[in-house]
């Protein structure tokens, strides 16, 4: 029995809870997953950190990541985007495995350094694009890769939330260009662009050129008893051309009043189509060549990826289960010191697309990726 992997986790709020919950579920639902020990929680606010250490089941906490990146076996980097580069690179240089939240970084330059550090490290590196690990998305990828939809003409991807539609919603780091890099583009658009690459990589190639726009609806937001400027986009929209000639249309916003977490993808091919929405994550709508119209498939059969780990067919799973799936795959890859997808190279490819949208928005013209 090999020693448990010692986990260091930087960040302990929303994503900290999602990943700590995933680690806690693994022994029961994925018993062959590498054993882990929630060793050290890393953050800045000691009081909040002490509470979170208790709640998330860690042994201890530190406020200085440099003290532990070479002590732990795996570093989870769940901090704000501008905190992704330095701890991840230091950990990789020490041979520590790194699982980093998306987007890879707050800038293309930093993402490139992270990609290069991963390429020359003994450690395994991965990006937590959790929507690749939705069983219905895996089914969609199977249909596309098997050619069931024929030649791919269109992909439409959108990520609609509304938690910033209210101008009085509090300012956070996600509204700050220095910390986040971009707004809805990098926070939500990164998911859609990664998922599109995942679904179409075998049949449409990469996005070769695109044009995009960015817009900020609310220029400043309350921060305690002050107001702070919003220096990133509230929404982006883009159109793209793929190597195989397919057309892509993409958007994301946090101002889509009424949409809570609608991450949707639609693919049209010469033989058929498919539609997915995260708000109905157990379902995939499929139009088959001989079909009369879209059929709604409940993707919860034992033959569907990961489902046999949970419950019988029809007993649906949720958002949190996608974190368990990606943690299982990442920790298994780390224990074997093998590669994990999405890798930092995948994360970098997404960052190139984010940067292209920003360049295009700035110039008001199409850009080559
Ligand atoms: C933004 O609110 C957010 O938490 C993203 O940061 C996550 O990546 C997405 O999965 C849910 O929405």
């Amino acid at each position: 029995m090999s020693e448990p992997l010692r986990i260091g986790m930087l960040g302990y709020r929303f994503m900290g809870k999602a990943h700590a919950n995933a680690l806690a579920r693994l022994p029961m639902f994925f018993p062959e997953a590498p054993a882990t020990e929630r060793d050290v929680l890393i953050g800045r606010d000691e009081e909040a950190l002490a509470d979170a250490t208790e709640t998330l089941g860690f042994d201890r906490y530190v406020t200085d990541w440099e003290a532990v990146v070479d002590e732990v076996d795996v570093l989870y980097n769940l901090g704000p985007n501008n905190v992704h580069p330095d701890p991840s690179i230091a950990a990789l240089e020490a041979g520590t495995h790194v699982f980093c939240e998306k987007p890879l970084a707050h800038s293309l330059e930093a993402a490139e350094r992270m990609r290069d550090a991963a390429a020359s490290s003994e450690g395994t590196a991965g990006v937590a694009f959790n929507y690749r690990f939705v069983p219905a998305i895996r089914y969609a990828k199977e249909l596309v890769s098997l050619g069931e939809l024929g030649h791919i003409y269109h992909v439409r991807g959108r990520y609609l939330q509304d938690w910033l539609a209210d101008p009085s919603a509090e300012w956070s780091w996600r509204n700050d260009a220095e910390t986040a890099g971009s707004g809805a583009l990098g926070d939500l658009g990164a998911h859609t662009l990664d998922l599109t690459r995942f679904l179409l990589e075998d049949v449409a190639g990469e996005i070769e050129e695109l044009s995009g726009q960015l817009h900020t609806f609310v220029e400043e937001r309350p921060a305690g008893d002050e107001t702070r400027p919003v220096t990133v986009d509230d929404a982006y929209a883009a159109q793209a051309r793929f190597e195989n000639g397919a057309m892509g249309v993409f958007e994301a916003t946090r101002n889509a009043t009424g949409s809570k977490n609608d991450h949707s993808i639609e693919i049209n091919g010469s033989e058929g189509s498919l539609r997915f929405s995260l708000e109905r994550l157990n379902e995939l709508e499929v139009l088959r060549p001989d079909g009369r119209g879209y059929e709604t498939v409940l993707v919860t059969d034992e033959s569907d990826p990961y489902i046999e780990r949970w419950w019988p067919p029809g007993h649906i799973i949720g958002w949190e289960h996608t974190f368990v799936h990606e943690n299982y795959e990442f920790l298994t890859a780390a224990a074997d010191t093998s590669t994990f997808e999405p890798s930092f190279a995948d994360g970098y490819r997404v960052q190139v697309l984010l940067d292209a949208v920003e360049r295009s928005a700035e110039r008001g013209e199409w850009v080559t990726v």
Side-chain angles (χ1 to χ4, degrees), residues 26-221:
L26 282 175
M28 184 184 289
F29 292 94
F30 292 78
E32 82 283 15
T36 61
E37 178 198 337
R38 273 164 271 160
D39 176 12
V40 55
L41 202 56
I42 306 160
R44 286 179 305 182
D45 174 339
E46 284 222 39
E47 196 182 331
L49 204 45
D51 290 347
T53 299
E54 193 70 31
T55 316
L56 303 184
F58 278 79
D59 299 334
R60 61 189 174 121
Y61 68 82
V62 296
T63 54
D64 170 16
W65 57 264
E66 288 177 285
V68 293
V69 282
D70 56 355
E71 274 178 21
V72 297
D73 299 303
V74 187
L75 175 72
Y76 279 60
N77 194 333
L78 315 180
N81 302 344
N82 67 333
V83 177
H84 290 177
D86 293 352
S88 301
I89 291 169
L92 287 166
E93 285 171 349
T96 299
H97 306 297
V98 175
F99 199 29
C100 184
E101 262 299 329
K102 38 53 61 186
L104 187 58
H106 60 304
S107 72
L108 187 57
E109 176 277 330
E112 188 173 5
R113 285 189 288 115
M114 294 176 75
R115 178 202 62 183
D116 295 347
S120 50
S121 170
E122 295 297 308
T124 295
V127 189
F129 282 116
N130 59 302
Y131 300 126
R132 288 189 180 212
F133 300 88
V134 175
I137 289 291
R138 290 296 164 103
Y139 181 47
K141 181 177 175 68
E142 184 190 326
L143 291 172
V144 169
S145 300
L146 288 176
E148 293 276 306
L149 305 192
H151 181 76
I152 302 301
Y153 295 137
H154 291 278
V155 56
R156 248 160 254 107
R158 67 178 196 205
Y159 203 145
L160 310 181
Q161 294 181 344
D162 69 358
W163 56 285
L164 289 180
D166 178 352
S168 64
E170 278 280 302
W171 187 95
S172 79
W173 68 261
R174 284 187 165 91
N175 298 122
D176 178 54
E178 276 197 14
T179 313
S182 61
L185 174 64
D187 188 24
L188 304 178
H191 274 300
T192 312
L193 293 166
D194 174 71
L195 210 46
T196 300
R197 290 194 65 239
F198 178 61
L199 289 170
L200 298 185
E201 60 190 343
D202 300 336
V203 295
E206 297 286 356
I207 289 176
E208 287 189 322
E209 48 189 353
L210 62 78
S211 77
Q213 61 169 313
L214 300 170
H215 189 63
T216 305
F217 296 105
V218 178
E219 304 277 344
E220 58 181 29
R221 290 186 173 278

Side-chain angles (χ1 to χ4, degrees), residues 304-316:
D304 291 307
Y306 308 115
I307 292 294
E308 83 291 347
R309 301 300 186 126
W310 300 106
W311 318 114
H315 293 66
I316 52 178

